[in-house]
Amino acid sequence: MRELIDLQLKLFPDLVHVMQRRYQLLHFIQLMEPIGRRALAESSNLAERTVRSEVDFLQEIGLIDITSKGMNVTREGKQLIQQFGEIMKEMSGIRVLEKKISETLNIGHVIIVSGDSDHQPWAKQEMGRACVNYLKSILKESRTIAVTGGSSMAAVAEMMNPTEVPEGCLFVPARGGLGEQVENQANTICAEMAKKARGKYRLLYVPDPISEESYQSMIEEPSIKEVLEVIRKPDVVIHGIGEAITMATRRRTNEQDMKKIHERQAVGESFGYYFDKQGEIVHRARTVGLQWDDLPKVNHVIALAGGKSKAAAILSYFKKGFSDVLITDEGAAIEILEQI
């Protein structure tokens, strides 16, 4: 395929450019539908006149519908987006980028979506969609899926639909709540995923983090102990990777531990563990739920993190991380290669 694309770029450079532009617009409309022309022009960084002309063409050939509320992609348009996805990755160079990141981080499977989720919210949605598509390729019925919290995980729940995941799966939170926005908490996300996938879910009503004394007492509670036994033996784990200081702040870390995190130059965090640039663990917050030493026993561990600002955190995690899949965006991927 790469050879054919190179030939097309040489013989028909203008045609390829038009094809990329129309695919990008169609893709934006799907992510943000219903959307108006002005909002589409702002998201795509194209002139309104260009957008108006391309939208008229897409409507004429039946790929979008235009209503008083905005534009929507038709069934034919969605099929075209799906069929053209791999070709566009080759044309845009994302496929090459995926290979470089896979080799750099020594990860078996890397999926990169376009954009930078630091500045383009739709990129996070696209990571969520990519995660759902990957789940579809690996899941069988009656599997247990553990998920952490965060906005990236919320995007996975948002993009999930009943046709993408086999029925009968059990969704569980990988950890307790951080006291963050309800929609970004692991309990909320796993319940939403279960609802959309026609599956079941179990919840974990404990704070995160907690003191050592509270931890030992809490894990012996029968109701919590039962849920923890399920949480610590999942078939699939989907988790985020956070910036160390951001996560420490969200956890309301005490002054002494925050000083340690700063002094030891932590840059990344996952499952309550804080990592420096060499991937060494410099601090651990006591959390209830899935633990670091549980991950090697899990069949599929999927890390989801994007945005240029997450590059250092992703690098630090994968120095020692157990995840075998990374789903990220161009912003993070390009910055990772810059930091090597």
Side-chain angles (χ1 to χ4, degrees):
M1 183 186 294
R2 182 70 253 177
E3 290 80 4
L4 176 59
I5 290 172
D6 289 340
L7 286 173
Q8 290 175 326
L9 288 169
K10 289 179 180 178
L11 294 173
F12 312 106
D14 294 338
L15 179 62
V16 172
H17 176 69
V18 171
M19 184 167 60
Q20 287 178 309
R21 184 174 66 215
R22 288 174 178 169
Y23 176 85
Q24 183 185 48
L25 288 173
L26 196 60
H27 196 203
F28 280 147
I29 294 171
Q30 183 187 36
L31 289 171
M32 297 177 283
E33 59 186 4
I35 183 174
R37 287 187 175 92
R38 181 170 297 178
L40 181 61
E42 291 175 356
S43 297
S44 59
N45 293 321
L46 294 173
E48 285 193 46
R49 180 182 299 178
T50 301
V51 169
R52 190 180 304 112
S53 173
E54 296 293 13
V55 162
D56 289 342
F57 173 79
L58 294 174
Q59 181 187 28
E60 183 180 338
I61 62 175
L63 298 182
I64 64 171
D65 286 327
I66 301 178
T67 68
S68 58
K69 294 182 178 180
M71 295 173 281
N72 295 276
V73 178
T74 63
R75 190 193 319 180
E76 290 77 13
K78 290 177 180 177
Q79 289 176 346
L80 185 143
I81 290 172
Q82 185 176 9
Q83 293 167 352
F84 241 67
E86 292 303 313
I87 296 174
M88 297 313 297
K89 274 196 170 187
E90 288 283 357
M91 286 185 171
S92 65
I94 288 181
R95 184 62 68 214
V96 174
L97 192 57
E98 288 176 337
K99 185 177 179 181
K100 287 182 179 178
I101 295 297
S102 177
E103 292 172 348
T104 299
L105 302 182
N106 193 27
I107 311 171
H109 194 57
V110 174
I111 300 171
I112 298 174
V113 303
S114 58
D116 183 336
S117 52
D118 281 349
H119 310 291
Q120 299 161 313
W122 54 262
K124 191 165 290 185
Q125 291 180 304
E126 193 60 9
M127 285 195 297
R129 191 191 305 277
C131 185
V132 172
N133 288 335
Y134 182 75
L135 281 175
K136 183 180 178 181
S137 70
I138 64 172
L139 280 183
K140 298 179 181 179
E141 291 185 7
S142 303
R143 291 293 189 257
T144 300
I145 304 164
V147 298
T148 63
S151 57
S152 295
M153 296 300 108
V156 179
E158 182 185 352
M159 294 295 106
M160 188 167 285
N161 63 71
T163 62
E164 299 294 340
V165 179
E167 292 186 28
C169 288
L170 174 65
F171 293 84
V172 295
R175 67 184 189 205
L178 279 173
E180 55 195 343
Q181 292 178 309
V182 174
E183 60 269 25
N184 289 341
Q185 290 184 9
N187 274 339
T188 304
I189 290 167
C190 83
E192 182 68 13
M193 286 184 176
K195 178 181 177 182
K196 290 189 174 182
R198 299 198 192 103
K200 302 175 183 178
Y201 64 89
R202 300 290 300 273
L203 302 181
L204 182 64
Y205 293 108
V206 295
D208 180 16
I210 60 175
S211 67
E212 186 66 32
E213 182 180 352
S214 297
Y215 174 81
Q216 296 299 335
S217 173
M218 197 167 288
I219 62 174
E220 292 303 320
E221 287 290 328
S223 59
I224 294 177
K225 191 173 184 179
E226 179 188 358
V227 176
L228 283 176
E229 287 178 358
V230 177
I231 290 174
R232 299 190 68 175
K233 296 179 181 178
D235 300 294
V236 179
V237 172
I238 312 172
H239 71 93
I241 300 171
E243 298 170 85
I245 302 304
T246 300
M247 292 303 300
T249 302
R250 281 169 59 187
R251 283 196 165 97
R252 298 180 177 86
T253 303
N254 63 52
E255 187 177 344
Q256 182 181 353
D257 287 339
M258 184 67 88
K259 183 180 179 182
K260 185 201 306 185
I261 290 169
H262 273 288
E263 289 178 346
R264 297 185 179 181
Q265 300 180 336
V267 294
E269 183 278 342
S270 193
F271 298 100
Y273 290 80
Y274 292 80
F275 312 92
D276 62 16
K277 289 184 178 180
Q278 288 70 46
E280 298 297 331
I281 297 170
V282 298
H283 178 67
R284 176 191 179 188
R286 171 58 79 185
T287 61
V288 178
L290 201 65
Q291 301 298 311
W292 184 253
D293 53 5
D294 294 323
L295 296 182
K297 309 167 192 174
V298 182
N299 292 329
H300 302 281
V301 183
I302 305 167
L304 195 75
K308 182 178 179 180
S309 63
K310 288 282 187 76
I314 294 171
L315 270 170
S316 70
Y317 171 80
F318 277 101
K319 295 281 186 179
K320 301 285 176 67
F322 296 108
S323 304
D324 48 7
V325 178
L326 170 64
I327 299 175
T328 189
D329 58 29
E330 283 182 289
I334 292 171
E335 182 64 18
I336 284 171
L337 297 179
E338 289 287 330
Q339 292 188 19
I340 297 299

